Amino acid sequence: MKELKKMKDNTMIYLENTELKIAISEKGAELQNVYNKETQLDYLWEGDPAFWGKKSPVLFPIVGTLKNNQFTHNGESYQLSRHGFARDKQFKLTESSNTRVSLTLDADAETLAQYPFLFRFSIVYEIHKNKLSCTYQVTNIDVKPLYFSVGAHPAFKVPLEEAYQFNDYYLEFNQSESAGKWPITAEGLIDENPIPFFHSNNRINLSKELFYGDALVFKHLESSSIRLSNDQSKHGFLFSWSEFPFMGIWSAKDAPFVCIEPWCGIADSVNATGELRDKEGMILLTPGQNTNRTWSVELY
């Protein structure tokens, strides 16, 4: 795997440098492997459907669940499923080198039936030393304003090494936090009020029970990075984001992974009106305007 290749049989894209090997599927532009040569560890969840069959889905043009799975725009109602359609669409390879790749999704008849906007959505993956970065680029190619949300959902193996257990690990934030978490209802909506969670601390000790009530959802944290650590091992990762105002941390019930999910956008609240332009976290682009959002992870 000395150069980027497109495999016809499984539509996989590969990036490689002296430290990392990365695999990406053209379906959903979804990460499939994140392998560190020095540690000889693949940090990405394997996608076992017994727990959760995804690995790192992309959330676009919404994040989370809409109230009644629908929204209203300019007097018309549209049906759109949780997290939007990008994760299930075939992206096109539009730029490639050994260490950088861009995959692009353009609006089509199928997307317009669910989401009445002309857009271009590109995802750029790039590696440098032991760091992988992911940039979401959204361009409004319509003649009217574009409203959208975008978010990440990468799942990382926990434990990273067979010698350890899930609860040997913890998440350490780079700032002291006092935020509450926002509960998720059975319908997948954000409840009316947060409940206490952080108390001027910066650490979450992982346990399976922590996620029995669904994801931990936070708004406007002070931190811009999270470190996965284990005091018995030198291996972990540093996940960084600074351009995403919402954060979700999730695992399926009793599953050996944790998702770190920076979001520009959030699920509808229980009080949502259903009007797209009023939805919390929506980004507005004028015709011809574009915007970028980047997250990264350093693997050690």
Side-chain angles (χ1 to χ4, degrees):
M1 202 160 64
K2 293 183 179 180
E3 59 183 31
L4 184 142
K5 298 180 290 185
K6 178 180 177 181
M7 304 298 289
K8 293 182 179 179
D9 58 341
N10 57 9
T11 61
M12 297 290 285
I13 307 297
Y14 297 95
L15 300 178
E16 184 173 5
N17 63 12
T18 57
E19 299 186 38
L20 298 179
K21 292 181 179 180
I22 308 295
I24 306 152
S25 171
E26 285 191 346
K27 182 180 179 182
E30 184 176 359
L31 287 168
Q32 299 296 304
N33 299 98
V34 179
Y35 182 77
N36 184 308
K37 298 177 185 179
E38 180 181 356
T39 66
Q40 297 186 342
L41 296 173
D42 188 347
Y43 290 72
L44 204 65
W45 161 242
E46 63 196 40
D48 182 352
F51 293 102
W52 185 57
K54 296 285 188 177
K55 296 185 178 184
S56 183
V58 175
L59 317 182
F60 177 87
I62 59 166
V63 172
T65 302
L66 295 172
K67 198 172 187 178
N68 300 317
N69 289 316
Q70 65 182 23
F71 69 87
T72 302
H73 183 67
N74 288 344
E76 298 289 335
S77 291
Y78 299 88
Q79 295 287 322
L80 190 55
S81 59
R82 187 181 191 188
H83 295 322
F85 47 69
R87 59 183 177 166
D88 296 316
K89 295 288 285 183
Q90 197 77 10
F91 282 64
K92 294 180 181 178
L93 180 64
T94 49
E95 178 189 339
S96 65
S97 73
N98 287 348
T99 59
R100 176 184 167 96
V101 62
S102 176
L103 298 110
T104 298
L105 176 68
D106 287 320
D108 59 22
E110 184 179 52
T111 68
L112 287 168
Q114 306 169 69
Y115 175 71
F117 301 95
L118 295 173
F119 64 85
R120 175 159 294 149
F121 178 37
S122 294
I123 302 175
V124 179
Y125 292 104
E126 189 166 9
I127 55 175
H128 177 69
K129 296 183 178 179
N130 69 328
K131 181 178 179 179
L132 165 68
S133 66
C134 175
T135 299
Y136 303 128
Q137 301 177 338
V138 182
T139 303
N140 182 0
I141 58 174
D142 214 324
V143 296
K144 61 181 183 289
L146 169 69
Y147 296 90
F148 75 95
S149 297
V150 66
H153 204 310
F156 299 95
K157 288 181 181 177
V158 181
L160 287 172
E161 302 164 89
E162 292 183 0
Y164 304 110
Q165 303 296 318
F166 189 87
N167 59 7
D168 291 326
Y169 291 82
Y170 58 91
L171 299 175
E172 186 175 25
F173 294 70
N174 69 316
Q175 300 289 335
S176 179
E177 299 289 353
S178 298
K181 71 171 183 175
W182 292 82
I184 301 174
T185 69
E187 294 76 31
L189 305 178
I190 301 297
D191 219 335
E192 195 168 4
N193 296 298
I195 59 176
F197 188 84
F198 287 109
H199 302 281
S200 297
N201 63 300
N202 70 335
R203 177 165 164 164
I204 298 176
N205 295 317
L206 292 182
S207 69
K208 301 291 182 63
E209 295 78 11
L210 185 64
F211 302 105
Y212 283 1
D214 211 323
L216 310 179
V217 175
F218 305 104
K219 300 181 182 182
H220 307 292
L221 292 172
E222 299 295 328
S223 296
S224 59
S225 69
I226 295 174
R227 187 180 300 275
L228 177 79
S229 295
N230 173 356
D231 290 336
Q232 304 171 65
S233 172
K234 62 182 181 181
H235 300 308
F237 62 76
L238 178 66
F239 189 101
S240 299
W241 78 97
S242 61
E243 302 164 336
F244 298 80
F246 307 101
M247 171 58 68
I249 301 173
W250 176 75
S251 182
K253 186 174 181 180
D254 294 325
F257 69 82
V258 66
C259 290
I260 310 295
E261 305 178 39
W263 302 330
C264 288
I266 196 167
D268 271 357
S269 75
V270 293
N271 298 319
T273 65
E275 184 65 39
L276 188 66
R277 61 172 55 91
D278 297 333
K279 179 172 167 54
E280 184 178 10
M282 296 302 286
I283 298 170
L284 168 63
L285 293 181
T286 58
Q289 188 179 10
N290 63 74
T291 189
N292 297 338
R293 297 291 190 275
T294 298
W295 59 263
S296 65
V297 60
E298 297 176 51
L299 311 150
Y300 55 85

